[in-house]
């Protein structure tokens, strides 16, 4: 899985906390809880390779009913066969809805890509997601990314799955006055490419989440629920509710826009990954938006 360090990819914070426009969006809307909610297993990447079944069991016991996997050292099915992991998760009362996979390593290897698609399909997943591509220097380079997404998305769709892209802050930072994220949304075919919105990274980049979802909300089907606070001019992730993101408003906007899956992800921890995930689960259970 190609991930750069959190602080390197985020750079200096260029904007403050989420700035949502004042509207009547919430005035007459009844409060809702988010149930079920899920977890991105990368949040416990320090523990998963050693005991994937044990860690997933702990997360299920905390209240996470959906998992999003990632390409760990044993692959995104953690050394298990598709039917084996599906049976195991069924026993926990959990559904693995999606996975991040090693997109850049597989996109030019048709056999490997085909294998990942087949494994995801047989394990009962719905989504295969590119987790990170990296900033591009020109619009021609971004055009190649968009075209490639369309091609891969078409192959994924043939297997009955959906292909998508998970953003970091770089695609929400202007290039020649325009946002690469908007370019990807405008230049990919909705039949083949959907998107997963990281609610932390869009905020770090200083983009108004409400305005973005008003325009593009129908393209997003999943989101990462992630919080951060600013330390020494840089974003540092924190347990949910202890940072800058206003989740009562942000998650209600996401729900109203049609986002279907709410997946907790945390990559930095005040104490430990498993303690943070427990705290995050308790926050999600109590949150009313």
């Amino acid at each position: 899985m190609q991930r750069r360090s959190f602080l390197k990819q985020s750079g200096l914070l260029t904007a403050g906390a989420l700035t949502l426009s004042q509207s009547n969006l919430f005035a007459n809307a009844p409060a809702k809880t988010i149930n079920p909610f899920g977890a991105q297993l990368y949040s416990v990447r320090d523990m998963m390779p050693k005991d994937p079944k044990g860690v997933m069991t702990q997360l299920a016991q905390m209240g996470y009913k959906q998992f999003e996997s990632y390409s760990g050292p044993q692959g995104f099915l953690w050394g298990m066969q598709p039917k084996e992991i599906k049976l195991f998760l069924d026993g926990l009362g959990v559904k693995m809805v999606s996975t991040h996979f090693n997109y850049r390593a597989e996109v030019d290897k048709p056999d490997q890509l085909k294998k990942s698609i087949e494994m995801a399909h047989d394990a009962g997943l719905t989504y295969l997601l590119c987790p990170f591509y990296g900033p591009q220097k020109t619009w021609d380079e971004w055009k190649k990314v968009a075209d490639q997404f369309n091609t891969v998305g078409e192959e994924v769709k043939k297997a009955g799955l959906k292909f998508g892209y998970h953003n970091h802050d770089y695609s929400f930072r202007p290039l020649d006055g325009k946002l690469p994220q908007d370019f990807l949304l405008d230049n990919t075919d909705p039949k083949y490419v959907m998107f997963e919105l990281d609610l932390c990274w869009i905020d770090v980049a200083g983009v108004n989440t409400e305005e973005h979802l008003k325009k593009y909300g129908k393209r997003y089907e999943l989101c990462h629920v992630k919080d951060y606070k600013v330390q020494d001019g840089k974003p540092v992730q924190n347990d949910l509710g202890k940072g800058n993101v206003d989740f009562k408003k942000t998650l209600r906007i996401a729900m109203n826009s049609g986002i279907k899956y709410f997946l907790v992800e945390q990559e930095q921890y005040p104490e430990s990954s498993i303690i943070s995930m427990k705290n995050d689960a308790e926050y999600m259970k109590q949150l009313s938006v």
Side-chain angles (χ1 to χ4, degrees):
M1 182 146 178
Q2 298 184 9
R3 285 194 184 233
R4 301 181 182 180
S5 72
F6 176 91
L7 295 179
K8 282 185 178 180
Q9 64 183 256
S10 58
L12 294 176
L13 188 65
T14 58
L18 184 67
T19 54
L20 297 174
S21 64
Q22 297 299 315
S23 67
N24 295 323
L25 181 62
F26 312 104
N28 300 311
K32 297 180 181 179
T33 56
I34 295 176
N35 183 29
F37 57 87
Q40 162 53 264
L41 297 179
Y42 190 77
S43 304
V44 283
R45 62 196 176 279
D46 59 324
M47 302 173 63
M48 279 295 293
K50 304 169 189 174
D51 183 17
K53 285 188 175 181
V55 174
M56 287 189 280
T57 299
Q58 287 188 65
L59 292 173
Q61 291 171 344
M62 293 175 189
Y64 295 102
K65 298 300 182 185
Q66 298 160 340
F67 288 160
E68 179 173 82
S69 192
Y70 70 98
S71 291
Q74 300 149 293
F76 60 79
L77 298 186
W78 300 96
M80 288 177 262
Q81 293 301 310
K83 291 182 180 179
E84 178 187 1
I85 194 169
K86 187 175 186 303
L87 184 63
F88 168 70
L89 292 175
D90 285 347
L92 296 179
V94 173
K95 178 173 175 55
M96 185 174 284
V97 297
S98 55
T99 188
H100 288 187
F101 76 112
N102 203 348
Y103 175 85
R104 294 199 69 174
E106 297 183 17
V107 68
D108 294 322
K109 299 176 181 178
D111 291 344
Q112 184 60 48
L113 179 61
K114 181 180 178 182
K115 182 179 178 181
S116 291
I117 293 171
E118 290 175 349
M119 290 178 67
H121 173 270
D122 293 347
L125 277 65
T126 303
Y127 302 93
L128 268 175
L129 301 167
C130 170
F132 181 88
Y133 199 93
Q136 305 299 296
K137 295 180 180 180
T138 68
W139 289 114
D140 284 342
E141 291 175 345
W142 278 116
K143 180 65 165 57
K144 291 178 182 178
V145 174
D147 291 344
Q148 194 179 67
F149 280 0
N150 283 325
T151 299
V152 173
E154 188 172 4
E155 289 302 307
V156 172
K157 186 179 180 182
K158 289 177 182 177
L161 303 173
K162 294 184 178 183
F163 170 76
Y165 170 69
H166 163 267
N167 69 275
H168 288 254
D169 64 323
Y170 61 83
S171 59
F172 278 106
R173 295 192 184 277
L175 174 66
D176 299 331
K178 301 177 183 178
L179 297 184
Q181 185 79 5
D182 292 359
F183 180 88
L184 290 175
L185 286 154
D186 291 335
N187 289 274
T188 52
D189 190 330
K191 296 194 302 292
Y192 302 134
V193 184
M194 47 70 59
F195 290 79
E196 177 177 60
L197 182 62
D198 191 299
L199 296 173
C200 168
W201 286 120
I202 185 175
D203 197 46
V204 166
V207 173
N208 186 306
T209 303
E210 181 177 9
E211 292 302 317
H212 183 73
L213 286 177
K214 279 182 180 178
K215 185 173 183 180
Y216 294 112
K218 292 182 180 180
R219 299 294 303 278
Y220 290 94
E221 298 188 22
L222 311 93
C223 70
H224 277 183
V225 184
K226 181 189 301 181
D227 210 350
Y228 76 96
K229 58 184 178 182
V230 180
Q231 293 181 351
D232 299 323
K234 296 181 180 181
V236 178
Q237 291 181 28
N238 203 355
D239 294 355
L240 297 181
K242 296 183 179 180
N244 290 350
V245 181
D246 185 343
F247 285 112
K248 286 186 74 69
K249 287 186 176 181
T250 305
L251 291 180
R252 187 55 183 257
I253 291 166
M255 292 175 75
N256 288 346
S257 76
I259 288 177
K260 303 172 184 177
Y261 297 99
F262 299 83
L263 305 164
V264 173
E265 184 185 42
Q266 190 166 339
E267 298 170 278
Q268 294 175 308
Y269 325 96
E271 190 170 347
S272 72
S273 63
I274 199 68
I275 289 176
S276 283
M277 291 305 285
K278 184 176 181 180
N279 292 339
D280 292 344
E282 291 305 311
Y283 179 86
M284 292 297 290
K285 290 175 189 175
Q286 297 172 19
L287 181 64
S288 178
V289 301

